[in-house]
Amino acid sequence: MHDVIIIGAGPAGLSTARWCDELGLDTLLLEQSENIGGQLHQIFNPINNYLGLEAANGEELLQTFNRQLVNSEFDQWTGTAIESVDLRAKRISLASGEQLQAIAIVIATGVRRRELGIPGEKEFAGKGLITSGSRDRNLFSGQDVCVIGGGDAAAENALLLAEVCPTVTLVHRGKKLRARREFAEQLQPNHAITVFTESEVTRIIGENHVEAVEIRRKEGLKPFQLAVRGVLIRIGVEPNVELFSNQVELDEHGYIKTNREQETNMPFVFAVGDVSNPQSPTISTATGGGATAAKVIGSRLARGSR
Ligand SMILES: Cc1cc2nc3c(=O)[nH]c(=O)nc-3n(C[C@H](O)[C@H](O)[C@H](O)COP(=O)(O)OP(=O)(O)OC[C@H]3O[C@@H](n4cnc5c(N)ncnc54)[C@H](O)[C@@H]3O)c2cc1C
């Protein structure tokens, strides 16, 4: 029996674990992948909005986190697959067959990139699918590329790629881009960038590498092919809630609802970070939420309430 089991070791889970440890709680942190850090592994741009710390990228920030965690005493299990979670009983069954039990559970499972679900999306991984504009743009220098999406991430990546690619075609399903003004205003005067709104990429085409995308402009019109060597997909994210979705209350977009103490509608079940915070998915909010959950759990256990 642990005091707290935290699921997910991104910034939110790590902060929760650090604070639980400081409060003397018996804490276990479970992470499905082999490495802790969550989305920090996908950040290749400088991080200068996490007040108090500057980092050249997510890996560098993670190194600082690791230095701060090295003397912590919480247990951390990476590469751990969870089979099921019974939030009412606070019981977790691992794929290995092991059963774990806690007084409190903290869900810190974050979000994942939404997939398009079109032919070619999986097949061309590593063969023309661009995972990050800032990291991969030199690989695609001098080549025509397509960016799919209409939000901040799509616009920012289109601008980054336009610095080295002769043409960048931005394809967005909606009538208007959702990107913030700072990005949207830079797109139009950029001669390398063409924006197709009310359009969809329906297929990624090629032999051993991406050679073209099939685009349908407006419902009913015949699709056409555009020759490109690279495709970057940024159509938003979705919360990792499959283990909990029929047990805790979710909002209309599938994010876990919490109160100001980060507690869900189930007593002693907390949710922190991006999985419960579509309004401000940031490192500061994730680490702050972790501190809140840990403090609340710590003070309740100190009072002997369960
Ligand atoms: C390209 C990019 C740039 C960004 N730039 C910034 C920036 O400049 N400033 C900023 O503040 N934020 C930035 N962010 C956002 C920031 O990274 C996130 O807000 C933050 O990582 C959220 O932390 P989290 O712990 O809630 O979730 P995540 O980082 O998503 O971590 C969740 C963890 O839970 C694990 N997990 C999921 N499901 C399970 C399961 N079933 N069992 C066990 N483990 C599980 C995942 O493997 C992952 O390790 C950026 C994000 C991206 C992608």
Side-chain angles (χ1 to χ4, degrees), residues 7-13 30-33 37-40 42-43 45 47 49 80 82 108-111 113 240 243 272-274 281-284 286:
I7 306 174
L30 302 177
E31 167 58 50
Q32 65 185 4
S33 60
Q39 290 172 64
L40 295 186
Q42 298 169 20
I43 305 181
N45 49 286
I47 300 170
N49 45 25
T80 302
I82 296 176
T109 47
V111 294
R113 286 198 177 124
N240 294 316
L243 284 170
V272 293
D274 285 10
T282 67
I283 301 162
S284 338

PDB file of all heavy atoms in Angstrom, residues 7-13 30-33 37-40 42-43 45 47 49 80 82 108-111 113 240 243 272-274 281-284 286, ligand 1:
ATOM      1  N   ILE A   7       0.478   8.462 -12.082  1.00  0.00           N
ATOM      2  CA  ILE A   7       0.564   7.807 -13.393  1.00  0.00           C
ATOM      3  C   ILE A   7       1.006   8.841 -14.422  1.00  0.00           C
ATOM      4  O   ILE A   7       0.287   9.789 -14.717  1.00  0.00           O
ATOM      5  CB  ILE A   7      -0.792   7.186 -13.795  1.00  0.00           C
ATOM      6  CG1 ILE A   7      -1.293   6.255 -12.682  1.00  0.00           C
ATOM      7  CG2 ILE A   7      -0.659   6.434 -15.116  1.00  0.00           C
ATOM      8  CD1 ILE A   7      -2.689   5.714 -12.927  1.00  0.00           C
ATOM      9  N   GLY A   8       2.208   8.656 -14.967  1.00  0.00           N
ATOM     10  CA  GLY A   8       2.749   9.574 -15.980  1.00  0.00           C
ATOM     11  C   GLY A   8       3.891  10.398 -15.400  1.00  0.00           C
ATOM     12  O   GLY A   8       3.729  11.035 -14.360  1.00  0.00           O
ATOM     13  N   ALA A   9       5.046  10.368 -16.083  1.00  0.00           N
ATOM     14  CA  ALA A   9       6.235  11.063 -15.565  1.00  0.00           C
ATOM     15  C   ALA A   9       6.689  12.185 -16.497  1.00  0.00           C
ATOM     16  O   ALA A   9       7.845  12.289 -16.857  1.00  0.00           O
ATOM     17  CB  ALA A   9       7.362  10.073 -15.325  1.00  0.00           C
ATOM     18  N   GLY A  10       5.729  13.021 -16.914  1.00  0.00           N
ATOM     19  CA  GLY A  10       6.079  14.285 -17.574  1.00  0.00           C
ATOM     20  C   GLY A  10       6.292  15.327 -16.477  1.00  0.00           C
ATOM     21  O   GLY A  10       6.381  14.989 -15.289  1.00  0.00           O
ATOM     22  N   PRO A  11       6.369  16.609 -16.842  1.00  0.00           N
ATOM     23  CA  PRO A  11       6.570  17.648 -15.833  1.00  0.00           C
ATOM     24  C   PRO A  11       5.557  17.591 -14.690  1.00  0.00           C
ATOM     25  O   PRO A  11       5.913  17.787 -13.524  1.00  0.00           O
ATOM     26  CB  PRO A  11       6.421  18.944 -16.638  1.00  0.00           C
ATOM     27  CG  PRO A  11       6.867  18.566 -18.012  1.00  0.00           C
ATOM     28  CD  PRO A  11       6.403  17.158 -18.213  1.00  0.00           C
ATOM     29  N   ALA A  12       4.284  17.282 -14.998  1.00  0.00           N
ATOM     30  CA  ALA A  12       3.249  17.264 -13.959  1.00  0.00           C
ATOM     31  C   ALA A  12       3.491  16.124 -12.966  1.00  0.00           C
ATOM     32  O   ALA A  12       3.472  16.321 -11.744  1.00  0.00           O
ATOM     33  CB  ALA A  12       1.868  17.126 -14.603  1.00  0.00           C
ATOM     34  N   GLY A  13       3.732  14.932 -13.486  1.00  0.00           N
ATOM     35  CA  GLY A  13       3.952  13.776 -12.613  1.00  0.00           C
ATOM     36  C   GLY A  13       5.236  13.920 -11.811  1.00  0.00           C
ATOM     37  O   GLY A  13       5.283  13.581 -10.620  1.00  0.00           O
ATOM     38  N   LEU A  30       4.619   5.905 -11.927  1.00  0.00           N
ATOM     39  CA  LEU A  30       4.597   4.913 -13.003  1.00  0.00           C
ATOM     40  C   LEU A  30       4.659   5.606 -14.359  1.00  0.00           C
ATOM     41  O   LEU A  30       3.902   6.552 -14.608  1.00  0.00           O
ATOM     42  CB  LEU A  30       3.292   4.092 -12.939  1.00  0.00           C
ATOM     43  CG  LEU A  30       2.999   3.338 -11.647  1.00  0.00           C
ATOM     44  CD1 LEU A  30       1.630   2.659 -11.748  1.00  0.00           C
ATOM     45  CD2 LEU A  30       4.092   2.296 -11.371  1.00  0.00           C
ATOM     46  N   GLU A  31       5.533   5.147 -15.236  1.00  0.00           N
ATOM     47  CA  GLU A  31       5.658   5.738 -16.579  1.00  0.00           C
ATOM     48  C   GLU A  31       5.667   4.612 -17.604  1.00  0.00           C
ATOM     49  O   GLU A  31       6.418   3.651 -17.464  1.00  0.00           O
ATOM     50  CB  GLU A  31       6.933   6.584 -16.666  1.00  0.00           C
ATOM     51  CG  GLU A  31       7.353   7.010 -18.053  1.00  0.00           C
ATOM     52  CD  GLU A  31       6.295   7.831 -18.801  1.00  0.00           C
ATOM     53  OE1 GLU A  31       5.766   8.800 -18.243  1.00  0.00           O
ATOM     54  OE2 GLU A  31       6.005   7.479 -19.968  1.00  0.00           O
ATOM     55  N   GLN A  32       4.857   4.777 -18.653  1.00  0.00           N
ATOM     56  CA  GLN A  32       4.759   3.703 -19.648  1.00  0.00           C
ATOM     57  C   GLN A  32       5.994   3.629 -20.549  1.00  0.00           C
ATOM     58  O   GLN A  32       6.400   2.546 -20.964  1.00  0.00           O
ATOM     59  CB  GLN A  32       3.506   3.866 -20.502  1.00  0.00           C
ATOM     60  CG  GLN A  32       3.519   5.122 -21.360  1.00  0.00           C
ATOM     61  CD  GLN A  32       2.229   5.360 -22.127  1.00  0.00           C
ATOM     62  OE1 GLN A  32       1.254   4.623 -21.967  1.00  0.00           O
ATOM     63  NE2 GLN A  32       2.205   6.377 -22.936  1.00  0.00           N
ATOM     64  N   SER A  33       6.602   4.786 -20.869  1.00  0.00           N
ATOM     65  CA  SER A  33       7.753   4.715 -21.771  1.00  0.00           C
ATOM     66  C   SER A  33       9.033   4.468 -20.965  1.00  0.00           C
ATOM     67  O   SER A  33       9.026   4.518 -19.736  1.00  0.00           O
ATOM     68  CB  SER A  33       7.851   5.961 -22.638  1.00  0.00           C
ATOM     69  OG  SER A  33       7.997   7.085 -21.843  1.00  0.00           O
ATOM     70  N   GLY A  37       9.921  12.328 -18.619  1.00  0.00           N
ATOM     71  CA  GLY A  37      10.047  13.628 -19.309  1.00  0.00           C
ATOM     72  C   GLY A  37       8.859  13.990 -20.183  1.00  0.00           C
ATOM     73  O   GLY A  37       8.635  15.165 -20.462  1.00  0.00           O
ATOM     74  N   GLY A  38       8.099  13.001 -20.651  1.00  0.00           N
ATOM     75  CA  GLY A  38       6.903  13.291 -21.453  1.00  0.00           C
ATOM     76  C   GLY A  38       7.226  14.144 -22.671  1.00  0.00           C
ATOM     77  O   GLY A  38       8.197  13.892 -23.394  1.00  0.00           O
ATOM     78  N   GLN A  39       6.423  15.197 -22.870  1.00  0.00           N
ATOM     79  CA  GLN A  39       6.570  16.035 -24.067  1.00  0.00           C
ATOM     80  C   GLN A  39       7.888  16.811 -24.116  1.00  0.00           C
ATOM     81  O   GLN A  39       8.230  17.363 -25.154  1.00  0.00           O
ATOM     82  CB  GLN A  39       5.420  17.033 -24.149  1.00  0.00           C
ATOM     83  CG  GLN A  39       4.077  16.414 -24.463  1.00  0.00           C
ATOM     84  CD  GLN A  39       2.984  17.460 -24.328  1.00  0.00           C
ATOM     85  OE1 GLN A  39       2.945  18.440 -25.056  1.00  0.00           O
ATOM     86  NE2 GLN A  39       2.087  17.254 -23.378  1.00  0.00           N
ATOM     87  N   LEU A  40       8.614  16.854 -23.010  1.00  0.00           N
ATOM     88  CA  LEU A  40       9.901  17.561 -23.063  1.00  0.00           C
ATOM     89  C   LEU A  40      10.794  16.973 -24.165  1.00  0.00           C
ATOM     90  O   LEU A  40      11.592  17.687 -24.761  1.00  0.00           O
ATOM     91  CB  LEU A  40      10.630  17.476 -21.712  1.00  0.00           C
ATOM     92  CG  LEU A  40       9.962  18.171 -20.520  1.00  0.00           C
ATOM     93  CD1 LEU A  40      10.869  18.116 -19.300  1.00  0.00           C
ATOM     94  CD2 LEU A  40       9.624  19.625 -20.852  1.00  0.00           C
ATOM     95  N   GLN A  42       9.916  16.262 -27.007  1.00  0.00           N
ATOM     96  CA  GLN A  42       9.506  16.768 -28.334  1.00  0.00           C
ATOM     97  C   GLN A  42       9.820  18.251 -28.507  1.00  0.00           C
ATOM     98  O   GLN A  42       9.483  18.850 -29.531  1.00  0.00           O
ATOM     99  CB  GLN A  42       7.989  16.596 -28.509  1.00  0.00           C
ATOM    100  CG  GLN A  42       7.523  15.167 -28.474  1.00  0.00           C
ATOM    101  CD  GLN A  42       5.999  15.092 -28.391  1.00  0.00           C
ATOM    102  OE1 GLN A  42       5.285  16.034 -28.718  1.00  0.00           O
ATOM    103  NE2 GLN A  42       5.492  13.967 -27.960  1.00  0.00           N
ATOM    104  N   ILE A  43      10.411  18.880 -27.495  1.00  0.00           N
ATOM    105  CA  ILE A  43      10.658  20.333 -27.583  1.00  0.00           C
ATOM    106  C   ILE A  43      12.086  20.567 -28.060  1.00  0.00           C
ATOM    107  O   ILE A  43      13.040  20.280 -27.339  1.00  0.00           O
ATOM    108  CB  ILE A  43      10.416  21.038 -26.230  1.00  0.00           C
ATOM    109  CG1 ILE A  43       9.005  20.721 -25.714  1.00  0.00           C
ATOM    110  CG2 ILE A  43      10.606  22.538 -26.380  1.00  0.00           C
ATOM    111  CD1 ILE A  43       8.664  21.381 -24.390  1.00  0.00           C
ATOM    112  N   ASN A  45      12.857  23.642 -29.475  1.00  0.00           N
ATOM    113  CA  ASN A  45      13.057  25.088 -29.461  1.00  0.00           C
ATOM    114  C   ASN A  45      13.504  25.520 -28.062  1.00  0.00           C
ATOM    115  O   ASN A  45      13.286  24.784 -27.087  1.00  0.00           O
ATOM    116  CB  ASN A  45      11.751  25.805 -29.847  1.00  0.00           C
ATOM    117  CG  ASN A  45      10.574  25.286 -29.056  1.00  0.00           C
ATOM    118  OD1 ASN A  45      10.091  24.186 -29.316  1.00  0.00           O
ATOM    119  ND2 ASN A  45      10.135  26.027 -28.060  1.00  0.00           N
ATOM    120  N   ILE A  47      13.379  27.071 -24.452  1.00  0.00           N
ATOM    121  CA  ILE A  47      12.280  27.279 -23.503  1.00  0.00           C
ATOM    122  C   ILE A  47      12.668  28.477 -22.643  1.00  0.00           C
ATOM    123  O   ILE A  47      13.625  28.414 -21.871  1.00  0.00           O
ATOM    124  CB  ILE A  47      12.054  26.030 -22.631  1.00  0.00           C
ATOM    125  CG1 ILE A  47      11.715  24.833 -23.528  1.00  0.00           C
ATOM    126  CG2 ILE A  47      10.932  26.273 -21.616  1.00  0.00           C
ATOM    127  CD1 ILE A  47      11.711  23.502 -22.809  1.00  0.00           C
ATOM    128  N   ASN A  49      10.007  30.568 -21.292  1.00  0.00           N
ATOM    129  CA  ASN A  49       8.795  31.076 -20.643  1.00  0.00           C
ATOM    130  C   ASN A  49       8.469  30.300 -19.364  1.00  0.00           C
ATOM    131  O   ASN A  49       7.383  30.430 -18.812  1.00  0.00           O
ATOM    132  CB  ASN A  49       7.603  31.020 -21.622  1.00  0.00           C
ATOM    133  CG  ASN A  49       7.557  29.696 -22.367  1.00  0.00           C
ATOM    134  OD1 ASN A  49       8.064  28.686 -21.865  1.00  0.00           O
ATOM    135  ND2 ASN A  49       6.971  29.689 -23.543  1.00  0.00           N
ATOM    136  N   THR A  80       6.554   0.756 -17.717  1.00  0.00           N
ATOM    137  CA  THR A  80       5.530   0.007 -16.976  1.00  0.00           C
ATOM    138  C   THR A  80       4.170   0.122 -17.677  1.00  0.00           C
ATOM    139  O   THR A  80       3.622   1.226 -17.786  1.00  0.00           O
ATOM    140  CB  THR A  80       5.417   0.558 -15.539  1.00  0.00           C
ATOM    141  OG1 THR A  80       6.694   0.454 -14.924  1.00  0.00           O
ATOM    142  CG2 THR A  80       4.400  -0.210 -14.722  1.00  0.00           C
ATOM    143  N   ILE A  82       0.284  -0.349 -17.805  1.00  0.00           N
ATOM    144  CA  ILE A  82      -0.864  -0.520 -16.905  1.00  0.00           C
ATOM    145  C   ILE A  82      -1.987  -1.206 -17.677  1.00  0.00           C
ATOM    146  O   ILE A  82      -2.367  -0.772 -18.764  1.00  0.00           O
ATOM    147  CB  ILE A  82      -1.331   0.849 -16.365  1.00  0.00           C
ATOM    148  CG1 ILE A  82      -0.226   1.472 -15.509  1.00  0.00           C
ATOM    149  CG2 ILE A  82      -2.624   0.706 -15.563  1.00  0.00           C
ATOM    150  CD1 ILE A  82      -0.541   2.879 -15.006  1.00  0.00           C
ATOM    151  N   ALA A 108      -1.478  11.890 -14.369  1.00  0.00           N
ATOM    152  CA  ALA A 108      -0.636  12.922 -14.999  1.00  0.00           C
ATOM    153  C   ALA A 108      -0.192  12.424 -16.369  1.00  0.00           C
ATOM    154  O   ALA A 108       0.986  12.486 -16.728  1.00  0.00           O
ATOM    155  CB  ALA A 108       0.569  13.217 -14.102  1.00  0.00           C
ATOM    156  N   THR A 109      -1.166  11.919 -17.121  1.00  0.00           N
ATOM    157  CA  THR A 109      -0.839  11.194 -18.354  1.00  0.00           C
ATOM    158  C   THR A 109      -0.720  12.096 -19.589  1.00  0.00           C
ATOM    159  O   THR A 109      -0.451  11.596 -20.692  1.00  0.00           O
ATOM    160  CB  THR A 109      -1.891  10.092 -18.616  1.00  0.00           C
ATOM    161  OG1 THR A 109      -3.195  10.660 -18.433  1.00  0.00           O
ATOM    162  CG2 THR A 109      -1.739   8.930 -17.658  1.00  0.00           C
ATOM    163  N   GLY A 110      -0.952  13.395 -19.453  1.00  0.00           N
ATOM    164  CA  GLY A 110      -0.677  14.318 -20.549  1.00  0.00           C
ATOM    165  C   GLY A 110      -1.542  14.123 -21.781  1.00  0.00           C
ATOM    166  O   GLY A 110      -2.666  13.598 -21.712  1.00  0.00           O
ATOM    167  N   VAL A 111      -0.993  14.542 -22.900  1.00  0.00           N
ATOM    168  CA  VAL A 111      -1.726  14.474 -24.174  1.00  0.00           C
ATOM    169  C   VAL A 111      -0.825  13.833 -25.229  1.00  0.00           C
ATOM    170  O   VAL A 111       0.381  13.753 -25.063  1.00  0.00           O
ATOM    171  CB  VAL A 111      -2.137  15.884 -24.668  1.00  0.00           C
ATOM    172  CG1 VAL A 111      -3.141  16.517 -23.729  1.00  0.00           C
ATOM    173  CG2 VAL A 111      -0.918  16.797 -24.840  1.00  0.00           C
ATOM    174  N   ARG A 113      -0.268  13.639 -29.732  1.00  0.00           N
ATOM    175  CA  ARG A 113      -0.641  14.307 -30.983  1.00  0.00           C
ATOM    176  C   ARG A 113      -1.779  13.556 -31.650  1.00  0.00           C
ATOM    177  O   ARG A 113      -1.766  12.324 -31.718  1.00  0.00           O
ATOM    178  CB  ARG A 113       0.570  14.373 -31.921  1.00  0.00           C
ATOM    179  CG  ARG A 113       1.542  15.414 -31.438  1.00  0.00           C
ATOM    180  CD  ARG A 113       2.502  15.830 -32.528  1.00  0.00           C
ATOM    181  NE  ARG A 113       3.340  16.890 -31.981  1.00  0.00           N
ATOM    182  CZ  ARG A 113       4.667  16.870 -31.933  1.00  0.00           C
ATOM    183  NH1 ARG A 113       5.321  15.858 -32.442  1.00  0.00           N
ATOM    184  NH2 ARG A 113       5.321  17.880 -31.411  1.00  0.00           N
ATOM    185  N   ASN A 240      -4.740  11.686 -22.826  1.00  0.00           N
ATOM    186  CA  ASN A 240      -4.570  10.238 -22.600  1.00  0.00           C
ATOM    187  C   ASN A 240      -5.459   9.809 -21.425  1.00  0.00           C
ATOM    188  O   ASN A 240      -5.014   9.798 -20.271  1.00  0.00           O
ATOM    189  CB  ASN A 240      -3.097   9.940 -22.291  1.00  0.00           C
ATOM    190  CG  ASN A 240      -2.204  10.214 -23.482  1.00  0.00           C
ATOM    191  OD1 ASN A 240      -2.522   9.855 -24.610  1.00  0.00           O
ATOM    192  ND2 ASN A 240      -1.078  10.867 -23.249  1.00  0.00           N
ATOM    193  N   LEU A 243      -7.681   4.889 -19.822  1.00  0.00           N
ATOM    194  CA  LEU A 243      -7.747   4.041 -18.610  1.00  0.00           C
ATOM    195  C   LEU A 243      -8.791   4.523 -17.614  1.00  0.00           C
ATOM    196  O   LEU A 243      -9.183   3.786 -16.712  1.00  0.00           O
ATOM    197  CB  LEU A 243      -6.386   4.040 -17.906  1.00  0.00           C
ATOM    198  CG  LEU A 243      -5.257   3.215 -18.502  1.00  0.00           C
ATOM    199  CD1 LEU A 243      -3.934   3.545 -17.808  1.00  0.00           C
ATOM    200  CD2 LEU A 243      -5.550   1.723 -18.381  1.00  0.00           C
ATOM    201  N   VAL A 272      -3.545  16.190 -12.957  1.00  0.00           N
ATOM    202  CA  VAL A 272      -2.677  17.374 -13.068  1.00  0.00           C
ATOM    203  C   VAL A 272      -2.044  17.443 -14.463  1.00  0.00           C
ATOM    204  O   VAL A 272      -1.888  16.424 -15.135  1.00  0.00           O
ATOM    205  CB  VAL A 272      -1.554  17.344 -11.994  1.00  0.00           C
ATOM    206  CG1 VAL A 272      -2.121  17.489 -10.595  1.00  0.00           C
ATOM    207  CG2 VAL A 272      -0.725  16.069 -12.078  1.00  0.00           C
ATOM    208  N   GLY A 273      -1.700  18.651 -14.853  1.00  0.00           N
ATOM    209  CA  GLY A 273      -1.023  18.841 -16.134  1.00  0.00           C
ATOM    210  C   GLY A 273      -1.984  18.844 -17.311  1.00  0.00           C
ATOM    211  O   GLY A 273      -3.194  19.050 -17.157  1.00  0.00           O
ATOM    212  N   ASP A 274      -1.434  18.606 -18.500  1.00  0.00           N
ATOM    213  CA  ASP A 274      -2.206  18.769 -19.744  1.00  0.00           C
ATOM    214  C   ASP A 274      -3.471  17.910 -19.797  1.00  0.00           C
ATOM    215  O   ASP A 274      -4.439  18.285 -20.455  1.00  0.00           O
ATOM    216  CB  ASP A 274      -1.323  18.396 -20.950  1.00  0.00           C
ATOM    217  CG  ASP A 274      -0.290  19.472 -21.261  1.00  0.00           C
ATOM    218  OD1 ASP A 274      -0.120  20.398 -20.446  1.00  0.00           O
ATOM    219  OD2 ASP A 274       0.371  19.366 -22.320  1.00  0.00           O
ATOM    220  N   PRO A 281      -1.885  24.518 -21.506  1.00  0.00           N
ATOM    221  CA  PRO A 281      -0.987  23.361 -21.461  1.00  0.00           C
ATOM    222  C   PRO A 281       0.472  23.820 -21.469  1.00  0.00           C
ATOM    223  O   PRO A 281       1.094  23.938 -22.528  1.00  0.00           O
ATOM    224  CB  PRO A 281      -1.349  22.587 -22.733  1.00  0.00           C
ATOM    225  CG  PRO A 281      -1.945  23.596 -23.655  1.00  0.00           C
ATOM    226  CD  PRO A 281      -2.484  24.719 -22.835  1.00  0.00           C
ATOM    227  N   THR A 282       1.007  24.102 -20.319  1.00  0.00           N
ATOM    228  CA  THR A 282       2.385  24.596 -20.212  1.00  0.00           C
ATOM    229  C   THR A 282       3.114  23.851 -19.098  1.00  0.00           C
ATOM    230  O   THR A 282       2.485  23.228 -18.229  1.00  0.00           O
ATOM    231  CB  THR A 282       2.433  26.099 -19.859  1.00  0.00           C
ATOM    232  OG1 THR A 282       1.922  26.263 -18.535  1.00  0.00           O
ATOM    233  CG2 THR A 282       1.626  26.945 -20.827  1.00  0.00           C
ATOM    234  N   ILE A 283       4.425  23.999 -19.117  1.00  0.00           N
ATOM    235  CA  ILE A 283       5.241  23.351 -18.096  1.00  0.00           C
ATOM    236  C   ILE A 283       4.939  23.959 -16.724  1.00  0.00           C
ATOM    237  O   ILE A 283       4.821  23.246 -15.723  1.00  0.00           O
ATOM    238  CB  ILE A 283       6.737  23.493 -18.447  1.00  0.00           C
ATOM    239  CG1 ILE A 283       7.013  22.861 -19.810  1.00  0.00           C
ATOM    240  CG2 ILE A 283       7.617  22.847 -17.383  1.00  0.00           C
ATOM    241  CD1 ILE A 283       8.310  23.295 -20.455  1.00  0.00           C
ATOM    242  N   SER A 284       4.764  25.293 -16.686  1.00  0.00           N
ATOM    243  CA  SER A 284       4.481  25.935 -15.389  1.00  0.00           C
ATOM    244  C   SER A 284       3.180  25.420 -14.787  1.00  0.00           C
ATOM    245  O   SER A 284       3.113  25.133 -13.591  1.00  0.00           O
ATOM    246  CB  SER A 284       4.326  27.446 -15.515  1.00  0.00           C
ATOM    247  OG  SER A 284       4.933  27.938 -16.638  1.00  0.00           O
ATOM    248  N   ALA A 286       1.695  22.625 -15.412  1.00  0.00           N
ATOM    249  CA  ALA A 286       1.830  21.201 -15.068  1.00  0.00           C
ATOM    250  C   ALA A 286       2.557  21.042 -13.727  1.00  0.00           C
ATOM    251  O   ALA A 286       2.095  20.311 -12.838  1.00  0.00           O
ATOM    252  CB  ALA A 286       2.596  20.474 -16.177  1.00  0.00           C
TER     253      ALA A 286
HETATM  254  C1  LIG B   1       6.836  21.074 -29.493  1.00  0.00           C
HETATM  255  C2  LIG B   1       6.391  21.510 -28.123  1.00  0.00           C
HETATM  256  C3  LIG B   1       6.862  22.716 -27.628  1.00  0.00           C
HETATM  257  C4  LIG B   1       6.478  23.134 -26.343  1.00  0.00           C
HETATM  258  N1  LIG B   1       6.981  24.302 -25.853  1.00  0.00           N
HETATM  259  C5  LIG B   1       6.659  24.699 -24.596  1.00  0.00           C
HETATM  260  C6  LIG B   1       7.226  25.872 -24.035  1.00  0.00           C
HETATM  261  O1  LIG B   1       8.043  26.573 -24.648  1.00  0.00           O
HETATM  262  N2  LIG B   1       6.830  26.237 -22.763  1.00  0.00           N
HETATM  263  C7  LIG B   1       5.928  25.503 -22.048  1.00  0.00           C
HETATM  264  O2  LIG B   1       5.632  25.863 -20.905  1.00  0.00           O
HETATM  265  N3  LIG B   1       5.380  24.372 -22.562  1.00  0.00           N
HETATM  266  C8  LIG B   1       5.718  23.951 -23.812  1.00  0.00           C
HETATM  267  N4  LIG B   1       5.154  22.805 -24.322  1.00  0.00           N
HETATM  268  C9  LIG B   1       4.097  22.110 -23.554  1.00  0.00           C
HETATM  269  C10 LIG B   1       4.660  21.260 -22.394  1.00  0.00           C
HETATM  270  O3  LIG B   1       5.643  20.373 -22.864  1.00  0.00           O
HETATM  271  C11 LIG B   1       3.500  20.501 -21.758  1.00  0.00           C
HETATM  272  O4  LIG B   1       2.545  21.420 -21.291  1.00  0.00           O
HETATM  273  C12 LIG B   1       3.980  19.619 -20.588  1.00  0.00           C
HETATM  274  O5  LIG B   1       4.919  18.674 -21.006  1.00  0.00           O
HETATM  275  C13 LIG B   1       2.785  18.905 -19.939  1.00  0.00           C
HETATM  276  O6  LIG B   1       3.267  18.035 -18.953  1.00  0.00           O
HETATM  277  P1  LIG B   1       2.402  16.773 -18.461  1.00  0.00           P
HETATM  278  O7  LIG B   1       3.250  16.110 -17.444  1.00  0.00           O
HETATM  279  O8  LIG B   1       1.040  17.198 -18.104  1.00  0.00           O
HETATM  280  O9  LIG B   1       2.222  15.847 -19.746  1.00  0.00           O
HETATM  281  P2  LIG B   1       3.262  15.136 -20.717  1.00  0.00           P
HETATM  282  O10 LIG B   1       4.510  15.933 -20.860  1.00  0.00           O
HETATM  283  O11 LIG B   1       2.460  14.810 -21.929  1.00  0.00           O
HETATM  284  O12 LIG B   1       3.657  13.784 -19.947  1.00  0.00           O
HETATM  285  C14 LIG B   1       2.730  12.748 -19.742  1.00  0.00           C
HETATM  286  C15 LIG B   1       3.479  11.466 -19.436  1.00  0.00           C
HETATM  287  O13 LIG B   1       2.531  10.460 -19.100  1.00  0.00           O
HETATM  288  C16 LIG B   1       2.906   9.248 -19.713  1.00  0.00           C
HETATM  289  N5  LIG B   1       1.725   8.387 -19.851  1.00  0.00           N
HETATM  290  C17 LIG B   1       0.662   8.551 -20.682  1.00  0.00           C
HETATM  291  N6  LIG B   1      -0.204   7.545 -20.533  1.00  0.00           N
HETATM  292  C18 LIG B   1       0.310   6.713 -19.596  1.00  0.00           C
HETATM  293  C19 LIG B   1      -0.117   5.467 -19.029  1.00  0.00           C
HETATM  294  N7  LIG B   1      -1.270   4.888 -19.378  1.00  0.00           N
HETATM  295  N8  LIG B   1       0.670   4.874 -18.098  1.00  0.00           N
HETATM  296  C20 LIG B   1       1.850   5.453 -17.717  1.00  0.00           C
HETATM  297  N9  LIG B   1       2.323   6.615 -18.233  1.00  0.00           N
HETATM  298  C21 LIG B   1       1.552   7.245 -19.155  1.00  0.00           C
HETATM  299  C22 LIG B   1       3.487   9.683 -21.037  1.00  0.00           C
HETATM  300  O14 LIG B   1       4.319   8.662 -21.598  1.00  0.00           O
HETATM  301  C23 LIG B   1       4.276  10.932 -20.616  1.00  0.00           C
HETATM  302  O15 LIG B   1       5.590  10.602 -20.217  1.00  0.00           O
HETATM  303  C24 LIG B   1       5.560  22.349 -25.584  1.00  0.00           C
HETATM  304  C25 LIG B   1       5.094  21.131 -26.093  1.00  0.00           C
HETATM  305  C26 LIG B   1       5.509  20.708 -27.349  1.00  0.00           C
HETATM  306  C27 LIG B   1       5.007  19.391 -27.879  1.00  0.00           C
END
